[in-house]
């Protein structure tokens, strides 16, 4: 029974009580947890949410959620009759597998949170970068991670329904405290939280916390608890160590405001309260989050791709044979107009369908990942690290095969580059070609980059997501035309790297020379990718570094 686990459960139990006291004002919670008894215990305690509580799996169709056209009633009435959706009258919603929620569903749920006060429990079972939709996480006051909590850490009796009812009555009678907004907003600003919802949710959480602890007004412990629960998971950068105070109130300000400000914690204290509860690896997480912003999401990225995924809501469109007609959606669109069309039609038909009624089926497109290994097989590389590079590529091939990624192999040596293996999932073929890769000759780096770029462009046109791993010692000495000219070779490599950077695919340059090569570091910057100098790394370390950089 660890102290960290007990503390984490205490926070979770507090969040559960605060949601029971003010579910509409606090919006909900994003629950990051895999299936297990701890998560079940937390969810089982959510007995005071506003009824009815509905479950919305990610496969819920939009019409079922919002209520589409009631076809039977529409035909019978001769006018559009809308059905009732799941969100109509719902007080709270549990979203299992929230990380898989489609954007269109997330929009409707977020709108219900704003307009109808829907309280949302978003159960996020994602791994790594998978997460609940940002629009819902933004509106939910809390975010909890239950992964580090064991059943033995669950302690203390749950707050009873009578105590929660008294807290709700105390909250309803509690006066607002707008003077508290300024220090909360200042603390949020220092942590790089630019959303105005965050300070408002913090203030609501502080009031609910005060009501839970039988206080008639917000005091310092309430404010410290609220900033910890609401602001900690929204931090985007650490604040400067230099203190920032609130502006001096103008002369003649109200005495009550000054008295309240003296009673509450100043903004610096709120900042320290948030900082004290940040995870130890917060800097690594922030850096990782920043690096993701300009990168693809890797295999399975939700973009136009080469593989069909789950069905999406049908959209109106012109039928040209490229997509199938959604019969049900088309009939739903045509249903409200049947009476009018029957009166004006020259031919009697059972159903009158116009081209404007046609809805086409849509499917989520998924993109396969293509790892393009571009290996320097020149004489200098063969003498230095070619054996380690081959070993690293073989290890990466195993990981790529497990993820069902496609791989391709390019070697450059002598006066040009050669595509040894076009995109394939065959692990045996790739290992065989790699083992037979000879070494020797010059280093036509520009030719290797150009060949990788051509392959990446072709893969992109087929809906794949290419990523390039360049393994070289960086001593380019062969120009694009095959001439042995070191200066022209370097200029050609830089020019080709700029063109490759414009394609927007992920790249990593692994410097496998005995010493870090400054030209390769510059090449990595030109490509807009990663540069890894690994002068004494073996095959395992090389493969680990490449996998971490490319997210394989």
């Amino acid at each position: 029974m660890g102290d960290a686990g007990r503390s984490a459960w205490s926070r979770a139990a507090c969040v559960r009580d605060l949601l029971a006291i003010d579910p509409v004002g606090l919006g909900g919670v994003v629950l990051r947890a895999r299936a297990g008894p701890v998560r079940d215990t937390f969810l089982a305690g959510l007995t005071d949410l506003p009824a009815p509580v509905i479950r919305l799996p990610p496969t819920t169709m939009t019409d079922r959620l919002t209520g589409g056209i009631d076809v039977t009633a529409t035909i019978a009435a001769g006018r559009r009759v809308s059905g009732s959706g799941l969100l109509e009258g719902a007080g709270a919603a549990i979203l299992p597998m929230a990380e898989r929620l489609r954007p269109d569903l997330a929009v409707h749920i977020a709108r219900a949170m704003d307009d109808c006060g829907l309280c949302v429990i978003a159960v996020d079972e994602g791994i790594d970068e998978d997460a609940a939709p940002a629009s819902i996480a933004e509106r939910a006051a809390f975010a909890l991670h239950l992964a580090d909590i064991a059943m033995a850490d669950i302690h203390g009796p749950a707050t009873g329904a009578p105590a929660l009812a008294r807290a709700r009555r105390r909250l309803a009678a509690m006066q607002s405290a707008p003077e508290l907004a300024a220090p909360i907003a200042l603390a949020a600003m220092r942590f790089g939280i630019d959303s105005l919802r965050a300070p408002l949710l913090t203030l609501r959480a502080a009031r609910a916390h005060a009501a839970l602890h039988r206080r008639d007004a917000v005091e310092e412990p309430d404010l410290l608890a609220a900033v910890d629960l609401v602001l900690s998971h929204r931090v985007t950068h650490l604040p400067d160590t230099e203190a920032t105070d609130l502006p001096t109130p103008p002369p003649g300000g109200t005495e009550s405001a000054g008295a309240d400000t003296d009673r509450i914690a100043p903004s610096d204290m709120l900042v320290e309260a948030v900082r004290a509860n940040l995870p130890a690896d917060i800097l690594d997480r922030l850096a990782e989050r920043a690096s993701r912003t300009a990168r693809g999401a890797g295999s399975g990225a939700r973009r136009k791709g080469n593989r069909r995924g789950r069905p999406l809501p049908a959209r109106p469109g012109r039928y040209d044979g490229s997509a199938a007609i959604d019969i049900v959606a088309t009939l739903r669109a045509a249903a409200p107009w049947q009476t009018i069309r029957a009166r004006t039609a020259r031919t009697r038909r059972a159903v009158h369908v116009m081209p404007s009624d046609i809805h086409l089926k849509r499917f989520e497109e998924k993109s396969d990942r293509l790892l393009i290994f571009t290996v320097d097989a020149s004489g200098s590389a063969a003498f230095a690290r070619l054996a380690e590079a081959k070993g690293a590529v073989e290890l990466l091939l195993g990981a790529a095969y497990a993820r069902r990624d496609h791989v391709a192999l390019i070697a450059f040596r002598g006066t040009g580059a050669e595509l040894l293996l076009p995109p394939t999932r065959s692990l045996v073929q790739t290992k065989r070609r790699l083992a037979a890769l000879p070494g020797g000759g010059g280093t036509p780096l520009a030719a290797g980059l150009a060949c990788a770029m051509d392959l990446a462009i072709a893969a992109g046109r087929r809906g794949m997501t290419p990523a390039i791993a360049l393994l070289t010692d960086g001593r380019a000495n062969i120009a694009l035309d095959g001439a042995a000219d070191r200066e022209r070779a370097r200029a050609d490599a830089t020019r080709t790297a700029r063109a490759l950077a414009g394609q927007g695919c992920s790249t990593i340059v692994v410097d496998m020379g005995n010493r870090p090569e400054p030209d390769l570091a510059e090449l990595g910057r030109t490509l807009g990718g990663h540069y890894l100098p690994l002068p004494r790394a073996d095959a395992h370390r090389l493969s680990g570094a490449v996998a971490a950089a490319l997210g394989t």
Side-chain angles (χ1 to χ4, degrees):
M1 185 180 301
D3 293 339
R6 290 177 62 86
S7 176
W9 177 253
S10 297
R11 294 179 84 247
C14 181
V15 165
R16 196 171 58 187
D17 290 342
L18 297 183
L19 282 179
I21 294 171
D22 188 11
V24 175
L26 295 175
V29 58
V30 176
L31 200 64
R32 183 89 167 180
R34 308 288 290 179
V38 175
R39 192 184 79 178
D40 294 342
T41 303
F42 180 87
L43 294 176
L46 294 169
T47 56
D48 290 288
L49 291 178
V53 179
I54 60 175
R55 294 179 67 87
L56 297 176
T59 54
T60 305
M61 300 305 293
T62 306
D63 289 345
R64 178 71 175 143
L65 187 71
T66 60
I69 298 175
D70 188 330
V71 177
T72 304
T74 298
I75 294 177
R79 56 180 177 81
R80 178 190 177 101
V81 178
S82 299
S84 59
L86 293 173
L87 289 177
E88 186 173 331
I94 296 177
L95 312 180
M97 296 183 288
E99 76 281 359
R100 299 185 183 181
L101 206 62
R102 301 193 311 271
D104 60 307
L105 284 184
V107 167
H108 289 294
I109 294 172
R111 184 176 179 182
M113 295 173 73
D114 287 342
D115 298 344
C116 308
L118 181 71
C119 181
V120 169
I121 312 299
V123 182
D124 178 1
E125 302 178 11
I127 301 175
D128 298 333
E129 68 269 18
D130 293 335
S135 56
I136 293 177
E138 161 73 13
R139 288 163 172 80
F142 309 113
L144 293 174
H145 289 243
L146 304 185
D148 298 330
I149 302 177
M151 281 300 292
D153 297 324
I154 298 177
H155 61 281
T159 306
L164 293 174
R166 288 194 295 272
R168 281 192 284 269
R169 290 194 293 271
R170 193 174 291 109
L171 177 64
M174 191 179 299
Q175 294 184 351
S176 61
E179 68 280 359
L180 303 181
I184 296 174
L186 188 58
M189 184 182 66
R190 293 181 62 184
F191 280 104
I193 303 170
D194 54 3
S195 169
L196 291 179
R197 285 193 179 91
L200 296 175
L201 291 172
T202 304
L203 189 55
R204 285 184 174 274
R207 298 178 74 240
H209 192 273
L212 178 65
H213 291 82
R214 303 179 182 180
R215 288 187 277 269
D216 296 327
V218 175
E219 297 185 3
E220 182 177 309
D222 307 315
L223 210 50
L224 295 179
V227 296
D228 168 36
L229 293 173
V230 180
L231 298 186
S232 296
H233 60 278
R234 302 173 192 269
V235 170
T236 61
H237 67 74
L238 295 181
D240 298 333
T241 54
E242 184 178 354
T244 303
D245 295 327
L246 285 171
T248 304
T254 60
E255 294 182 359
S256 60
D260 287 339
T261 305
D262 292 340
R263 190 180 64 213
I264 65 170
S267 62
D268 288 343
M269 189 176 296
L270 300 184
V271 169
E272 292 305 318
V274 177
R275 192 199 298 269
N277 290 285
L278 292 177
D281 59 344
I282 182 63
L283 289 178
D284 295 337
R285 294 187 187 185
L286 295 178
E288 183 182 3
R289 187 186 305 174
S291 67
R292 287 179 194 155
T293 55
R295 299 288 169 196
S299 181
R302 188 171 296 173
R303 57 189 289 275
K304 184 173 179 57
N306 61 333
R307 193 153 45 89
R308 173 182 290 184
R310 67 186 68 176
L312 296 175
R315 289 279 178 84
R318 182 178 180 183
Y319 179 70
D320 58 2
S322 60
I325 296 177
D326 190 319
I327 302 298
V328 175
T330 300
L331 291 177
R332 284 179 182 275
W337 311 102
Q338 292 307 301
T339 303
I340 297 176
R341 291 174 183 174
R343 291 172 184 167
T344 59
R346 298 179 179 176
T347 306
R348 290 180 60 83
R349 295 175 181 167
V351 179
H352 298 270
V353 178
M354 304 295 288
S356 58
D357 300 327
I358 293 179
H359 281 55
L360 302 178
K361 289 183 177 179
R362 297 189 308 141
F363 295 89
E364 182 180 280
E365 301 288 348
K366 292 190 174 182
S367 177
D368 284 340
R369 177 75 166 261
L370 171 62
L371 293 176
I372 303 172
F373 294 102
T374 308
V375 180
D376 181 356
S378 64
S380 60
F383 179 77
R385 305 294 304 285
L386 185 57
E388 286 84 354
K390 286 183 178 180
V393 171
E394 285 196 8
L395 292 173
L396 287 166
L397 286 174
Y401 181 78
R403 293 171 55 97
R404 306 301 296 162
D405 286 340
H406 297 258
V407 296
L409 180 62
I410 294 173
F412 56 96
R413 68 187 185 94
T415 58
E418 182 182 4
L419 176 61
L420 295 180
L421 189 69
T424 180
R425 282 176 170 163
S426 173
L427 186 62
V428 175
Q429 281 194 52
T430 310
K431 285 188 175 181
R432 189 180 302 155
R433 300 288 180 90
L434 188 66
L437 174 62
T443 307
L445 180 57
L449 290 173
C451 187
M453 180 171 63
D454 292 342
L455 185 58
I457 293 173
R461 288 173 180 167
R462 295 202 301 270
M464 304 176 78
T465 303
I468 299 173
L470 174 65
L471 293 85
T472 178
D473 64 357
R475 299 167 186 170
N477 51 21
I478 303 296
L480 269 178
D481 59 1
D485 187 326
R486 190 175 296 275
E487 292 302 321
R488 284 178 53 201
R490 186 180 303 167
D492 287 347
T494 301
R495 188 166 51 253
T496 309
R498 287 174 182 161
L500 181 55
Q503 300 302 321
C505 63
S506 299
T507 55
I508 179 172
V509 179
V510 180
D511 188 347
M512 60 181 192
N514 291 323
R515 295 179 180 177
E517 181 64 40
D519 286 350
L520 278 185
E522 181 61 29
L523 183 68
R525 287 191 289 271
T526 304
L527 286 168
H530 299 274
Y531 166 70
L532 287 178
L534 296 173
R536 287 177 291 279
D538 57 11
H540 287 275
R541 192 177 170 197
L542 276 172
S543 65
V546 173
L550 293 182
T552 61

